Amino acid sequence: DNNTYGKWGCGLILSSGKDNVAYNNIAYGNFAGLCIQYRATNNRLYNNISYDNDTYGIFVGSDTNLSARIENNTIYNNGLYGVMVGQGSKNAVIRNNISYQNKSDNIYLAPDDQTGTEVSHNLTAEDPKFFSQETKNFRLQVGSPAIDNGTIIIEIMTDYDGVERSKGKNYDIGAFEFS
């Protein structure tokens, strides 16, 4: 809740650096929850939760942004896009995220403003079966389509709660590993 309603601002921003990482954060009530922008190379967001933001859950953009990685995040009920990649971003990776019930698109790639983005193993259409959307408990219930449907990412060994990843045959999609 870091901004004045309708004004551009991020709950958390990675910018002006190389190999920066933000993980295990919660962002809500902002214009954009989590952002990677401006002179950022190989910056990464993982195991984060971004919900109920005015416009974007996660925003990746600017013509000086290279190789952003958005992995194993849970993005829910944002005002426009769950994940937005645009404004000149190059070679972003959007993988193993739950992006659900965002008002316009769950994952949006600007057609003319970004290049080389890889999008894989995300859950965007099916109900992820959160424990409780009402209380913002985004842990997974038995039978969630997110369980064991991610891809293994060697650098991410634990989930938001510190639970070891790959309790089953594959990583779970989203910030939480089912246990």
Side-chain angles (χ1 to χ4, degrees):
D1 204 13
N2 289 328
N3 66 299
T4 305
Y5 182 79
K7 301 290 182 186
W8 226 113
C10 302
L12 181 147
I13 185 169
L14 297 179
S15 174
S16 299
K18 182 177 181 181
D19 301 321
N20 294 307
V21 179
Y23 60 95
N24 296 1
N25 297 285
I26 297 175
Y28 62 92
N30 305 286
F31 182 83
L34 306 165
C35 300
I36 298 179
Q37 292 182 258
Y38 311 115
R39 300 170 308 282
T41 302
N42 296 324
N43 283 230
R44 176 185 229 168
L45 297 170
Y46 72 89
N47 288 350
N48 297 291
I49 301 162
S50 184
Y51 67 92
D52 293 346
N53 293 290
D54 298 343
T55 306
Y56 308 110
I58 295 178
F59 180 85
V60 178
S62 98
D63 59 358
T64 57
N65 188 332
L66 305 171
S67 303
R69 293 176 65 181
I70 312 302
E71 299 164 314
N72 281 101
N73 298 287
T74 298
I75 306 118
Y76 173 75
N77 194 42
N78 294 285
L80 195 55
Y81 301 119
V83 178
M84 160 67 166
V85 180
Q87 295 183 343
S89 180
K90 293 175 183 58
N91 303 319
V93 174
I94 314 299
R95 177 174 45 204
N96 284 6
N97 300 287
I98 295 173
S99 187
Y100 186 63
Q101 288 191 341
N102 297 286
K103 301 296 187 273
S104 182
D105 281 325
N106 288 311
I107 297 177
Y108 180 75
L109 308 179
D112 298 326
D113 292 344
Q114 62 81 36
T115 58
T117 299
E118 172 196 327
V119 179
S120 69
H121 295 87
N122 298 290
L123 182 62
T124 59
E126 281 184 85
D127 181 350
K129 296 189 167 118
F130 293 133
F131 190 79
S132 173
Q133 292 171 190
E134 293 76 28
T135 62
K136 310 305 185 225
N137 184 342
F138 299 112
R139 289 168 185 81
L140 305 174
Q141 293 186 60
V142 172
S144 169
I147 297 172
D148 289 339
N149 283 313
T151 187
I152 293 173
I153 303 168
I154 295 169
E155 303 92 346
I156 303 175
M157 302 302 294
T158 59
D159 76 350
Y160 180 90
D161 286 334
V163 172
E164 185 178 332
R165 285 233 177 238
S166 200
K167 288 286 198 186
K169 57 186 171 185
N170 269 331
Y171 279 24
D172 295 344
I173 298 171
F176 295 99
E177 188 77 10
F178 178 76
S179 59

